[in-house]
Amino acid sequence: MTGKLLYGANLFANDIRQHYLRYGGKGHPVILIPGITSPAVTWGFVAERLAERYDVYVTDVRGRGLSSTGPDLDYGLNSMAEDVIAFAQALNLDSPALLGHSMGARIAIRASASGRASFSRIALIDPPVSGPGRRPYPSKLPWYVDSIRLSVKGIDAEGMRTFCPTWTDEQLKLRAEWLHTCYEPAIVTAFEDFHKDDIFADLPKLARPAMLMVAGRGGVIEPVDEDEVRSLCPTIEIVRVPNAGHMIPWDDFEGFFGALGDFLSR
């Protein structure tokens, strides 16, 4: 079994072009849904490790990477969740697991809670827990918008270091290369929806095994949030990666996989 990239491809599902990267090709299927400004290619280093055990499909969420983009699309959470459902159905994937990071975790929750597709289990990696009446998401919108606008003009890894000072040179080069594919209105909509759409309401609807992975240094999920999540979804497994910020595998690659363990195939 190999964890290497097999190919990139496009399919038409939920009335848009969805681009994805496939790794490994053997084992239980896993759909990896990246976060708000992370095209699929930026998760390749994680997908390669996952693909040693699983058949991994990393998606470009609409408005990012090589998937459909532009002013005529709806960039709300419901549409992104429908994309995942349609993606799994178009490829005839048999009860795939979902692994979503940040915004991607919120997409995974909404897709699974809809009950419209059979997902075997979902791993939620440090999802934003902001929403109506809740504390705001710790990152600020200008951080995203300013870096995207610079990338549209052309920015190198050193320029990107201002925004991501702890990242490696390789990670910075990849972000500098691909960030311009993140359509600014899509990012603004997603960020605003972090505060408008209360994902907690979906948690009691999760009928499959779920894991919540918390970044110990991320500041996104606090102990009080963990308590509320557990009260709404008593069967959820909560794990922490103490030395990682919000971009958990970037900060602590082995810690991420140690916390994930065999959850996706258990």
Side-chain angles (χ1 to χ4, degrees):
M1 187 179 297
T2 176
K4 298 300 183 182
L5 173 67
L6 297 179
Y7 56 83
N10 298 277
L11 58 80
F12 189 74
N14 197 31
D15 295 325
I16 68 166
R17 180 188 68 255
Q18 297 195 42
H19 176 259
Y20 66 96
L21 302 175
R22 187 181 183 189
Y23 291 78
K26 297 181 180 179
H28 190 76
V30 174
I31 301 174
L32 194 163
I33 313 167
I36 186 169
T37 55
S38 295
V41 67
T42 63
W43 276 80
F45 73 112
V46 176
E48 286 182 356
R49 171 70 74 89
L50 287 171
E52 292 173 2
R53 300 179 62 181
Y54 308 109
D55 185 11
V56 183
Y57 300 78
V58 191
T59 63
D60 271 331
V61 179
R62 61 170 60 198
R64 297 148 180 92
L66 301 180
S67 288
S68 289
T69 190
D72 298 328
L73 292 186
D74 176 7
Y75 295 104
L77 182 58
N78 288 336
S79 291
M80 295 188 291
E82 287 294 327
D83 288 345
V84 173
I85 293 168
F87 178 86
Q89 292 172 343
L91 290 175
N92 294 314
L93 299 181
D94 183 16
S95 299
L98 299 181
L99 187 152
H101 171 251
S102 192
M103 180 195 73
R106 290 169 64 94
I107 295 171
I109 293 171
R110 183 60 53 87
S112 182
S114 74
R116 296 188 51 249
S118 179
F119 300 113
S120 60
R121 51 190 57 233
I122 60 172
L124 310 172
I125 314 303
D126 217 44
V129 293
S130 45
R134 301 181 182 275
R135 70 179 185 281
Y137 185 59
S139 294
K140 306 302 180 185
L141 183 59
W143 185 89
Y144 299 101
V145 172
D146 291 350
S147 59
I148 290 171
R149 290 179 179 177
L150 288 171
S151 72
V152 169
K153 294 179 179 179
I155 189 173
D156 60 13
E158 197 57 37
M160 194 60 69
R161 194 181 304 278
T162 302
F163 299 92
C164 308
T166 64
W167 288 25
T168 66
D169 289 344
E170 183 179 1
Q171 292 164 352
L172 291 169
K173 288 176 182 177
L174 200 58
R175 186 165 179 83
E177 179 185 0
W178 282 89
L179 186 60
H180 75 92
T181 69
C182 294
Y183 183 53
E184 183 179 325
I187 307 312
V188 171
T189 296
F191 185 87
E192 291 176 345
D193 281 356
F194 287 171
H195 303 88
K196 295 178 182 178
D197 205 328
D198 190 354
I199 204 67
F200 280 86
D202 288 13
L203 295 177
K205 304 173 187 176
L206 298 181
R208 300 300 184 198
M211 166 187 282
L212 175 66
M213 186 182 297
V214 179
R217 296 190 288 105
V220 175
I221 300 173
E222 302 291 347
V224 64
D225 304 312
E226 295 180 40
D227 292 341
E228 185 174 3
V229 168
R230 192 177 284 109
S231 72
L232 295 169
C233 185
T235 60
I236 197 166
E237 179 178 343
I238 299 180
V239 296
R240 297 183 69 86
V241 185
N243 297 318
H246 181 57
M247 303 296 288
I248 297 178
W250 277 254
D251 293 337
D252 187 352
F253 185 74
E254 295 300 334
F256 170 79
F257 281 99
L260 186 64
D262 65 351
F263 174 77
L264 294 174
S265 58
R266 190 181 310 155

